[in-house]
Amino acid sequence: MICGLFSNMAAGAQKLAVSLLFVLGGVLSFPLGQERKDTVTCGYESCHATKPDMLNVHLVPHTHDDVGWLKTVDQYFYGDRNDIQHAGVQYILDSVVDQLLKNPDRRFIYVETAFFYRWWKRQDSGMQQTVKQLVNEGRLEFVNGGWCMSDEATTHYSAVIDQMTIGLRFLNETFGACGRPRVAWHIDPFGHAREHASMFAQMGYDGFFFGRLDYQDRDRRMMAKEQELLWRASDSLTPPVADLFTGILPNGYNPPEGFCWDQSCNDPPIRDDPDLEDYNVDDVVKRFVAIAENQALVYKTNHIIMTMGSDFQYENANLWYKNLDKLIRYVNGLQSNGSKVNVLYSTPSCYLQELHRANLTWALKTDDFFPYADSAHDFWTGYFTSRPALKRYERISNSNLQTCNQLEVLGGPVSRKGPFGEGDSQTLKKAMAVAQHHDAVSGTEKQHVANDYARKLADGWQHCQVLVSNSLAALSGSSSQRIYCDNLNISVCPLTASSKKFSVSVYNPLARPVTWPVRLPVNGTAYTVSDANGKPVDCQVVPVSKATQDVRRNRGFAVNELVFQVQAPPLGYSTYSVSLLQDGSRPASTQHRTPTVIQNKFLKVTFDPDTGLLSSLSNLETQQSIKLAQNFYWYNASAGNNFLSIQPSGAYIFRPNSSTPFIISSTAKTESIQGSVVQEVRQWFSPWVSQVVRLYADSRALELEWTVGPVPIDDSLGKEVITRLDTSIQTGEYFYTDSNGREILQRKKDFRPTWQLRQSEPVAGNYYPVNSRAFIKDDVDQLTVVTDRSQGGGSIRNGSLEIMLHRRLLYDDVRGVAEPLNETSDIFPEGLVVRGRLLLSLDRPPHAADAHRPLAQEVVLQPLLTFTDGDLNPNTRLEFSGLQAALPPAVHLLTLSQWDKDSVLLRLEHQFQSWESKVNSRPVTVNLQKLFSTLDVLGVSELNLSANQWKDEMKRFDWTPQKGEKPLLKTFEDPSTWEVTLRPMEIRTFLLRVHLR
């Protein structure tokens, strides 16, 4: 849709808009200002001819280049630290381009735009023109095209969309329509999420190929010839919006056995001189034809695909291409003798086109591909939790990035160059994009690589801080220095701990008002707090907990915390003033007896006075109550034993040596805090496990702040630490988890929807990724747990829900990383300490989503606090909202980001599924011209989800499921030019031409 671009504009302005349209068209999509059609033959038009009466073998030369794993992303690009792994991406691209030029029949696909972008910047104009020619002729083809190949279990959908947008935008701006990938390509991630498939469909991909799936699932699909299928990836979006053709590759992403001709391989080359020793053409051809014919037995058409490449291959591309040229020549040479095998250079899109031309029906899938096991005792479910500190830092960084993006727009050009210097959002954007890689946020990299990911995120945040400070200065009218306290989770902020008067500005990146608890480290015992209107705010001083004192390791000196609740307007900030009333560095008092009850007007929480543990949770509004016991446990990790072939737990794999976890303590030492703002019960289970149970005055959620570590390893096995919630809810072995933070999927213990499971790991085989929430329910009660990072979880016992919090392991799990998951640091040399939060809500099932949907968004996009010392300038604007009014509860503002000088990228999403709310699972209409308070919206153009095609020009292959009719794309009309309607789970992406007021 391109609507209202010239509405209500004078003739002169229309002329400007026309020129702008062509500028934007050049950026976004080739059809506006396109090259002559006869000058390019890329995409489907560049495919080699196939033979309908033969078995066509599509050879796909490729390299899989991890954006960090055993080496850092920089080390991989330059080919540094080859003592760890021989790999240099710049040499791969140099060599491939050279070899493609030597034979126009040759093809190559490239995936990781983060690497290609680096390489491209270092080429002269002549080489860039050569590469553009290769792309325009379809000889070099981009597939997937994101900045990285993202993980599918531990990534949040918003970060995935961002990293795909960055990569695809670069390809579009550099190569036009020929740079647009037609195929999504996730050959290495360790299981596949339904939400990823939905996003890929909405990004315009015609198909999706991956390499890993459960070994039992593969066996069944091979027998049924269902390794190619139609994935219906949403139960809310009308088919075929989220339908995606999906193909499972035959050899993971490796070549057939015996046909690897990279310098890293040991397979013999094709020796085709009959006068020389070891002539082997006949043997090679015979073996290849046999492999091809066997592969064809488990696929549906007379076309099969072979991936000819693997990790960091083609550094010497001549080795590959010389042998592939010979293979094609000699196999096809047998056709004159009656052979029915035809081999050709190809790409995934060319292969996909042939499958589409076959006009068959395809098995339909509606669930996901988790969990993934490669054999009976090898479930890749440990990485759902691996490196929990990095997982949390990535989530915080995503929140910071969205705030940075928004304030760049709201503050205008001065945000990028203002009183605090030059700031930018690009550094953090790229660091976040790299962090989505399937060996980054997944926690499956070496330790020094994990450190590098964190360093890049920290560096990006430093650049964004300058931008945020500039923007807030412009919006508030105050250029006072702003202080950022990034360690508030351990009560460290030197300014608040030492100042007698300061202000705190609370920026809310959500498009609705939020109430948020603020906890500031202080040394006084009494303070006054006032809001932006000068009204007093209820506050409370509580002592810093012993657990916090232990983990600070001399990084902070505050003995107390000042606690108060703030309210921040949508897409805006509110400023609170804090003044010291009573000095003295004595801790506030606590009670050492266990309270039996803490409650506010919404929730009532009871504790067992004998054990100090939770015993029940009640919702006072709905008059419902459940038994609720919560404790901490660990699973002993299986230890590696080569003689007995025992699979150990490691960064990827979760394999406990018993299905019964060990309880850390059956009782907890407690102390309690009662106050008008917050009530707390602080629990100590052991020297390395503690928790604070918190209930804020105006909260409908119970907070469990857990601290785990250093995990002891005195047993020489390693431990996998969980918290388990045991309830009176009758779950019937069902539980529910989210997919990448969006749609909810039903799970059942020891069950898979698409095949008869032979369960061999009763715990690890029932773990699923929990990205932002999980819940259990019956007809009456639903207990939802909202997490602050991606974690693994399951319901191993009826009525229970367990979440894995931390892992410390002493053996490598033999999946390539070659390093135990045993995290230490300079601050914690004896083992990493991790802290996090779980938020619990109890509701009636028909209304539970009305609570957990906004709650999860608050955790993902949390307010940003900035601090100013002393008195504020009297002319300072203390409150601001970037919106004219809050968006409706069902609508989430997903993206607001500067696109170019005069335009911004906006994504709005309906955050409810079609079935989960009587109130909010309805279409909602938003007026774009009445959205922002500081921006005039002059024009709007609708894009696809990844912002690299105009929405009305996005065309995809249509596919027919085996059962049911082929779905026809249904279009909905918006009420007017500027009013857009969002339906359940719909994300709509717009390019707005704006003017800053």
Side-chain angles (χ1 to χ4, degrees), residues 157-227:
Y157 72 97
S158 62
V160 173
I161 292 170
D162 281 350
Q163 76 89 7
M164 293 297 297
T165 300
I166 294 172
L168 292 170
R169 181 179 183 181
F170 167 76
L171 294 178
N172 204 50
E173 290 180 342
T174 307
F175 300 105
C178 288
R180 179 172 65 83
R182 271 67 171 177
V183 167
W185 182 260
H186 268 211
I187 54 178
D188 197 25
F190 331 119
H192 303 281
R194 194 176 78 173
E195 192 60 36
H196 262 72
S198 177
M199 290 187 288
F200 286 149
Q202 295 173 72
M203 290 174 183
Y205 290 101
D206 286 322
F208 176 40
F209 292 95
F210 65 73
R212 299 184 189 270
L213 82 162
D214 188 274
Y215 72 103
Q216 293 184 45
D217 193 6
R218 181 185 285 277
D219 288 346
R220 188 201 68 80
R221 290 184 179 278
M222 288 175 68
M223 289 188 293
K225 290 191 176 183
E226 291 184 359
Q227 292 191 91

Side-chain angles (χ1 to χ4, degrees), residues 313-324:
Q313 294 196 359
Y314 284 78
E315 195 170 307
N316 183 352
N318 181 50
L319 297 176
W320 261 113
Y321 281 115
K322 179 165 283 192
N323 284 280
L324 288 174

Side-chain angles (χ1 to χ4, degrees), residues 483-648:
I483 304 298
Y484 298 81
C485 293
D486 294 330
N487 294 313
L488 288 173
N489 66 320
I490 55 171
S491 296
V492 174
C493 181
L495 172 65
T496 63
S498 60
S499 178
K500 294 184 178 181
K501 188 164 190 178
F502 60 90
S503 64
V504 53
S505 179
V506 183
Y507 179 82
N508 167 28
L510 294 173
R512 56 182 175 79
V514 296
T515 299
W516 186 262
V518 169
R519 304 178 69 92
L520 305 179
V522 295
N523 280 304
T525 55
Y527 289 81
T528 60
V529 180
S530 58
D531 66 14
N533 297 314
K535 295 181 179 179
V537 175
D538 192 16
C539 62
Q540 182 179 344
V541 176
V542 303
V544 170
S545 69
K546 182 180 181 301
T548 296
Q549 295 173 25
D550 290 343
V551 301
R552 284 195 304 205
R553 302 291 171 95
N554 299 317
R555 287 177 289 166
F557 55 91
V559 297
N560 292 323
E561 288 182 314
L562 175 64
V563 186
F564 56 98
Q565 299 214 87
V566 298
Q567 293 181 329
L571 229 65
Y573 68 83
S574 190
T575 306
Y576 289 76
S577 297
V578 180
S579 297
L580 175 68
L581 279 183
Q582 184 174 332
D583 207 346
S585 297
R586 64 180 179 85
S589 61
T590 62
Q591 299 178 8
H592 288 277
R593 64 179 181 82
T594 301
T596 56
V597 175
I598 58 174
Q599 74 176 73
N600 62 15
K601 57 188 175 184
F602 303 117
L603 296 178
K604 178 180 179 181
V605 186
T606 66
F607 294 82
D608 185 321
D610 297 323
T611 64
L613 304 179
L614 281 168
S615 58
S616 74
L617 176 63
S618 301
N619 184 324
L620 301 178
E621 288 184 296
T622 57
Q623 298 183 341
Q624 62 186 121
S625 182
I626 60 169
K627 294 179 181 178
L628 172 62
Q630 182 250 352
N631 211 323
F632 295 87
Y633 306 79
W634 85 81
Y635 292 102
N636 266 340
S638 292
N641 188 314
N642 292 333
F643 180 74
L644 298 176
S645 298
I646 294 176
Q647 170 64 55

Side-chain angles (χ1 to χ4, degrees), residues 108-125:
F108 193 79
I109 62 168
Y110 201 73
V111 179
E112 293 84 7
T113 305
F115 280 134
F116 188 86
Y117 168 81
R118 287 179 175 218
W119 180 83
W120 177 261
K121 289 196 307 179
R122 288 160 175 80
Q123 307 309 306
D124 60 30
S125 59

Side-chain angles (χ1 to χ4, degrees), residues 627-630 633 724-728 797-801:
K627 294 179 181 178
L628 172 62
Q630 182 250 352
Y633 306 79
R724 193 176 74 204
L725 304 163
D726 296 311
T727 76
S728 54
R797 309 194 315 178
N798 277 334
S800 79
L801 184 64

Side-chain angles (χ1 to χ4, degrees), residues 151 154 190 383-384 386 391 435 437-445 651:
D151 182 58
T154 64
F190 331 119
Y383 81 97
F384 299 162
S386 294
K391 282 179 164 64
H437 169 57
H438 57 271
D439 286 307
V441 66
S442 60
T444 55
E445 64 280 76

